[in-house]
Amino acid sequence: AGAACRPAGVVGGSTSGEPAWAAFAREAVAAAPRDVVVADRAYPGLSGFGPIVAPFVEAASGRLRDALADGEPEGDGGDGTPVLADFRRQLTRRLARIAARTLVTELHEARRLDRLSGEGPEERFRDFVALTARRDGLDRLVTGYPVLARLLATACLNTADAFAELIARLAADRHLLAPAGVFGDSAGALGTSTGPGALTGVEAGAGDSHRGGRSVMLLRFADGTRLVYKPRPLAAHRHFNSLVEWFGSLPGAPELRVLRVLDRGDYGWAEFVAERPCASGAETRQFYRRQGALLALLHALDGTDLHHENLIACGPHPVLVDVETLFHPPLGPARSADPAARALHDSVHRVGLLPQLLVGDTTALDMSAIGGGRAASSPIETADWAEAGTDRMRLVRRAGRFTESANRPRLGVEAADPSAYTEALCDGFRAGYTAIHDHRDELLAPDGPLRRFAGDEVRVVPRPTWTYTTLLDESTHPDLMRDAAERHQVLSLLRTPRLGVPALSGVEDEEIAELWCGDVPVFATRPGSGRLWSGTGRTVAGPAPEGSAPDAVAPTGLARVEAKVRAMDTVDRQDQERIIRTAMVSTSPEPPHRPGPGGRTPSAATAPEPEQLLSAARSVGDQLVSLAYRHEGRTNWIGLELLGERYWRLTPMAADLAGGYTGPALFLAQLAALTGVSRYAEAAREALAPVPGLLDALHGRADELGALGSGAYAGLGGIAYALTEVGTLLGDREVLDLAGPAVR
């Protein structure tokens, strides 16, 4: 890779054996104009760099134009059409983002050396663009930054191929896309008419880019029709629709609306679902009841990553627009020694519909399908540009902006408050869970709806997508655009714990290879198979069973789901409902404590009898023991963690005294000392089991102790206090001896 990115020059020189991207870059630069005139106007954002990347865009447009010669019969995609204009606009934006850091560095260097003409900063910026966009300037740029040339050319080649592929597939499938099928409002079968009118626009990038620049695209037609193109198999979505139809026929199960799809093997088409408000409060309650039933179904299918962008509120119906992550293998927390972490991972919380926070340094934002979707600033700062369009243009870090999503139902113009519909959500979940439980023999039958998924392609997400998108963006630093080996070293951070450990081992090589192609890495499997492959088509190692040899074979996704369905019972359903209710607390806009109307009625100043107090304490202790998650000598609870005095997050309890597991341990130890009941003492000891390992880890990270602090409730002081008290109350020397290391 390094050698391929170090040509002597892009214009001129040998072309023998050069990769496709280098040949394309050479042709693009050779076609650049000798002189460039930059219009006298303002250039917000990265728009001013358009003339510099224009030769690459035009070369890609020519490649697309040639490919479309035998495409759409009505002229869709021909030279000068809106489709080609969309292609140019979107590709220009993408290339400008890739080149921005290098171009701003060159801009500063040109200003420092006084190479720019013009009286003001805007004029000098335009002069820089004109000098760089002409043939000799562009040649110097790509010769000095060969990795940048590779990234620009690769993006052009991939995007042109993806558009050409779309147009060819649309031409071949027009007769299948009848108004009564994918496009219409009825639920009729796909027909054989000529389909919609001329294609008037294509919006790419509706999802992440995978498999050589391919992404979900939204198509617009002259008759007003809209259609979604998905460049991946839709068999799993088709079978999900059949499963939902079966589910809706069960007694007591709410009827769910699905996204109609046309599965064409390696790709498919889906109807475009527009957001629609509810007509009444009753419809809003129906929406949340259906969402609860949908949550039960997705939980049973091991669905995950179903966040606010994957659901549309269409009147009283929550409509899923993507179900590619069903039958998902366990992620990291599933193998944790913390039983609460394992339980939360295996619960309804994993689906992604329930409130889940994206946490930054100072703020947090709910990204879930139920609680998310509000317009808000991103908690994570990303690269942006200050004083754009001037020679003082520079990179700054600032919070991005999330626009409002279509996942929350509306009554008129007001979006619903999810916390007000917790009962409807739980009622729907209970109905859905019970329906699956009562008819599981039919679901699990050899010819049942579950087995139809066995050969379908489903996606596996080994680590958060933002890890990949951040690496793609940050690895365009100009220092990395000179030498492929330097950039490769940065991408190889995926092999280190700094970027998290992937849920599946052995995927790093493929992750890096796909990032080099400009793609977000994607991995796939089949529910009935243990094989895992990357976006390049190469097979990679699948997950091994916990505690087994590395070469052991893990259960298939289908086997895991079948085992989960067989284990469904009333106790588990109540446990899942409790997690739903706890998670929904975090969506409430109300303060956590509010006095009731009229205040509290005064009571007699008489102390309760000690036996009454002890009975109440035992009731609390029994509940703590029953709610605890226990595994191999560890005990913990799932609770709400307060972040920054503003946000509540559902999470396994940490170690602090106020909100962590040392608090229940202290209570249970006091109760054991008063009652002599051994189960309270046993739970208290098991709750403190991870403390020695925690203290050992903290001793090795002294630079982080300042942030943790020595406070009584949230710091080491509270942990030391709990250890001292529990050790004394239980007469346990081992626990008591831990207080010393905690204090030190």
Side-chain angles (χ1 to χ4, degrees), residues 433-434 437 440 564-576:
Y433 189 106
T434 302
H437 171 271
R440 58 185 168 194
K564 175 187 278 190
V565 171
R566 289 191 187 98
M568 292 172 74
D569 58 23
T570 303
V571 174
D572 176 69
R573 193 206 75 218
Q574 291 173 342
D575 194 30
Q576 302 306 322

Side-chain angles (χ1 to χ4, degrees), residues 240 243-244 246-247 256 292-302 436:
F240 177 77
L243 178 62
V244 169
W246 168 84
F247 177 77
L256 302 176
L294 181 62
L295 178 59
L297 186 59
L298 294 170
H299 169 60
L301 294 175
D302 272 350
I436 295 170

Side-chain angles (χ1 to χ4, degrees), residues 101 136 161 199 204 212 231 463 470 531 547:
R101 299 184 193 220
D136 58 344
D161 288 348
L199 181 64
R463 65 173 101 220
T470 300
R531 177 174 169 257

